[in-house]
Amino acid sequence: MLFKVGIPTAPSRLVLRHATRSITKESATQSNQVISNKQLLYTTDPLTPGSIFFLPHGTRIFNKLVQFMKNQQIKYGFQEVITPLIYKNKLWKQSGHWENYSEDMFKVMGNVSKEDHEVQDVSNEAHEHHHEHEHNAEDEEYGLKPMNCPGHCLIYAKFDRSYNELPIRYSDFSSLHRNEASGALSGLTRVRRFHQDDGHIFCQLEQIEQEISNTINLIKNTYGVFGIETKEIEFHLSTRPEKYIGDAKTWDNAEEQLTQVLNKTTGENSWKIREGDGAFYGPKIDVLLTDAFEKKHQVGTIQLDFQLPTRFNLKYVGEEGNRDHQPILVHRAVFGSLERFFAILLDHYQGKWPFWLNPRQAIIIPVNEKHVGNAEALQKELSGDILNHDEVISPMTGYNFYVDIDKRNETVGNRIKEAIQKGYSYILMLGDKDIELGTVAIRSRDNRKVSNLTSQEVYKMFIDLEKHYK
């Protein structure tokens, strides 16, 4: 799934095409690190293994991905929530994670309560205090969340629910932690701390098919924005594992529901079964992409869950007034791990980011020192509404772009060469003639052809490129 990306000189559709390069012993992780080191995207440190430090330019890409998905979530009826990172083990026992997933969780001890320290250990109360302390110590054991579903169940359970509210869709982008074995850690693709475009849908039985169909369509359309064609996406139905909660009949029903939706949305012969690879609480559809080194990565997922609504006693009032109806829970993610999807895109674009996603969208090169002032004025104008704004407080909305200036005492040719190496989408050159005519000379990263446009025309072109994800 490796492409070379050509950035258009005018706002035409982005063209992606397969690259031809030999696959060496270099891994995708090593390849990504090489690109990251050149573009200063992310780093790691042995003091926090499996956790990523996104540098300023990497954070720009990360935030663009998050904002992109937040906009899609709104369109599909999701409401974003923010939930805690740690919960007492009582929650994880209720959800089943403590029994079935605790080895993959980070456990945290809270401070013993102040009241415990103040209790006097007098002889006639020593035995009672000992047991009280044991109880409180257990009560103060926490788990860092490896997923958001129990927290979303708590939100659902806080209020009385009615059938006419369903489906209720929550999205969550907070960080998750999973205690992966140190030997399994690998760059961005296998980490201990990660972010997920997580979503949970509480719905009625008859709404399942539509909700899952919507998610599969969103997956296809989203990946298409990045030039990933439907034929490159693998869908796998992961069935009941050896270690599971609930009864086999409920599992069979859930697997049948997923089978029917997959057949309708992707075709009967276009997906595979992964026997016994489901989550402990329900079967799932896993979405896989293959990198240039022929390694498969699971990205998106859709999971059908009849178990957590039972464990959390989730209810809603039906149309006939019965308050004992139980919702179905659908877990879903499109990107999956943002860190892993970031790695997929690094491999996919090989550092040649499309304009809308590029952390280095344009650079202005003044021909000599006397053009620097004009270049700075142009930078402010092209950067958009935050910088090109006279008010003390920046506006909440508008188009904003990453535009730099290279005013070093180097030849124009050398500065253009370095700009191309750094991956800037557009290079703008400003000299005497341009200033006299009120234009700027602009070329793309991959095309030597130079056009002369006004600053307003360049800004309009930038807006059009971002609007159409080019």
Side-chain angles (χ1 to χ4, degrees):
M1 200 190 68
L2 176 64
F3 297 89
K4 285 184 178 176
V5 182
I7 301 296
T9 54
S12 59
R13 184 63 186 165
L14 183 68
V15 178
L16 301 171
R17 57 192 184 274
H18 282 284
T20 55
R21 77 173 172 89
S22 60
I23 304 301
T24 66
K25 291 182 180 179
E26 179 188 40
S27 69
T29 296
Q30 291 168 326
S31 176
N32 288 347
Q33 287 173 341
V34 169
I35 297 168
S36 173
N37 290 341
K38 286 182 180 178
Q39 299 190 348
L40 299 176
L41 302 178
Y42 69 89
T43 187
T44 58
D45 193 280
L47 288 174
T48 175
S51 297
I52 303 299
F53 293 81
F54 281 102
L55 302 175
H57 288 85
T59 301
R60 291 176 179 181
I61 298 171
F62 185 95
N63 286 340
K64 274 287 180 75
L65 293 173
V66 170
Q67 191 56 57
F68 169 89
M69 188 50 63
K70 285 186 177 184
N71 291 348
Q72 311 317 308
Q73 307 283 35
I74 292 170
K75 186 174 182 179
Y76 278 80
F78 282 83
Q79 301 176 84
E80 186 179 353
V81 296
I82 301 172
T83 52
L85 294 180
I86 63 172
Y87 298 87
K88 289 184 177 182
N89 63 16
K90 181 179 179 181
L91 174 89
W92 303 115
K93 289 176 180 178
Q94 183 177 359
S95 68
H97 289 87
W98 208 255
E99 178 184 355
N100 296 279
Y101 202 79
S102 64
E103 291 183 1
D104 296 304
M105 292 176 62
F106 284 100
K107 292 160 189 162
V108 182
M109 289 302 298
N111 290 328
V112 177
S113 64
K114 183 179 179 182
E115 289 78 9
D116 277 349
H117 288 297
E118 292 175 348
V119 172
Q120 296 297 319
D121 189 12
V122 294
S123 58
N124 62 344
E125 294 179 350
H127 184 70
E128 179 184 351
H129 174 68
H130 174 71
H131 286 286
E132 180 187 353
H133 187 275
E134 282 186 339
H135 170 74
N136 284 326
E138 180 183 344
D139 197 42
E140 297 299 334
E141 188 173 20
Y142 293 76
L144 270 173
K145 67 177 179 183
M147 57 270 296
N148 289 304
C149 37
H152 291 184
C153 287
L154 289 182
I155 293 177
Y156 180 98
K158 290 289 181 184
F159 307 95
D160 291 332
R161 305 293 184 175
S162 169
Y163 74 95
N164 55 26
E165 292 180 74
L166 303 182
I168 292 172
R169 308 177 185 94
Y170 292 137
S171 65
D172 201 324
F173 291 85
S174 53
S175 61
L176 304 174
H177 293 79
R178 297 182 184 175
N179 192 14
E180 301 280 359
S182 58
L185 300 176
S186 179
L188 291 165
T189 59
R190 198 67 177 261
V191 292
R192 286 176 172 164
R193 177 183 184 263
F194 64 99
H195 301 77
Q196 196 172 54
D197 61 324
D198 211 359
H200 292 96
I201 304 166
F202 300 91
C203 63
Q204 301 178 67
L205 188 65
E206 59 269 22
Q207 295 170 327
I208 289 175
E209 181 179 333
Q210 186 61 55
E211 293 302 314
I212 296 178
S213 295
N214 286 346
T215 302
I216 291 176
N217 289 333
L218 176 57
I219 287 170
K220 290 178 180 178
N221 294 335
T222 294
Y223 294 3
V225 167
F226 301 97
I228 302 167
E229 299 178 11
T230 301
K231 64 183 180 181
E232 298 174 275
I233 306 170
E234 292 185 27
F235 291 94
H236 294 253
L237 173 58
S238 298
T239 59
R240 183 171 70 242
E242 289 185 15
K243 194 175 183 180
Y244 66 94
I245 58 177
D247 61 271
K249 184 177 179 181
T250 302
W251 273 82
D252 292 341
N253 181 23
E255 289 174 11
E256 179 58 29
Q257 292 253 14
L258 294 180
T259 297
Q260 290 177 9
V261 177
L262 276 170
N263 285 337
K264 283 188 177 182
T265 55
T266 67
E268 292 192 21
N269 299 316
S270 61
W271 55 277
K272 303 172 184 178
I273 290 182
R274 298 169 97 179
E275 294 286 355
D277 206 36
F280 68 86
Y281 48 77
K284 57 179 180 169
I285 297 171
D286 286 328
V287 184
L288 278 70
L289 296 174
T290 304
D291 66 25
F293 299 86
E294 302 302 320
K295 184 176 181 180
K296 296 182 187 296
H297 301 277
Q298 190 228 304
V299 279
T301 186
I302 306 167
Q303 303 172 10
L304 198 52
D305 187 350
F306 293 88
Q307 314 303 332
L308 283 184
T310 299
R311 285 177 167 255
F312 283 89
N313 195 30
L314 304 183
K315 302 293 182 184
Y316 67 90
V317 179
E319 191 171 2
E320 78 295 337
N322 187 335
R323 309 183 69 86
D324 290 330
H325 292 277
Q326 183 171 286
I328 311 301
L329 178 57
V330 179
H331 311 245
R332 45 105 288 163
V334 178
F335 288 148
S337 160
L338 266 294
E339 282 77 1
R340 183 176 295 171
F341 201 80
F342 195 110
I344 291 284
L345 293 181
L346 269 171
D347 182 63
H348 180 61
Y349 292 120
Q350 287 295 291
K352 290 190 173 184
W353 303 99
F355 176 83
W356 77 275
L357 201 56
N358 199 342
R360 296 175 174 86
Q361 291 175 310
I363 188 166
I364 302 168
I365 298 177
V367 172
N368 59 46
E369 188 177 346
K370 70 178 181 179
H371 306 124
V372 170
N374 297 89
E376 289 172 344
L378 179 63
Q379 178 193 34
K380 184 177 179 182
E381 184 177 353
L382 295 181
S383 293
D385 296 329
I386 290 179
L387 291 182
N388 191 30
H389 190 75
D390 294 330
E391 300 297 328
V392 176
I393 301 298
S394 295
M396 286 290 291
T397 58
Y399 287 95
N400 298 283
F401 304 104
Y402 301 121
V403 182
D404 296 323
I405 299 177
D406 185 350
K407 52 189 175 183
R408 295 174 302 149
N409 187 25
E410 289 278 349
T411 66
V412 170
N414 284 342
R415 284 181 283 168
I416 290 174
K417 182 179 178 181
E418 285 193 32
I420 293 170
Q421 289 173 343
K422 289 178 179 178
Y424 283 94
S425 292
Y426 286 95
I427 301 159
L428 291 75
M429 294 151 286
L430 198 60
D432 289 335
K433 187 176 180 181
D434 302 297
I435 294 170
E436 180 185 344
L437 296 175
T439 61
V440 59
I442 181 171
R443 58 157 288 181
S444 77
R445 177 179 59 210
D446 298 317
N447 193 324
R448 290 176 177 268
K449 182 181 177 182
V450 175
S451 301
N452 294 94
L453 303 175
T454 65
S455 58
Q456 292 85 0
E457 288 172 330
V458 174
Y459 187 60
K460 184 177 180 299
M461 183 181 77
F462 286 0
I463 291 173
D464 193 69
L465 288 166
E466 182 154 296
K467 272 186 177 180
H468 297 92
Y469 298 111
K470 295 180 180 178

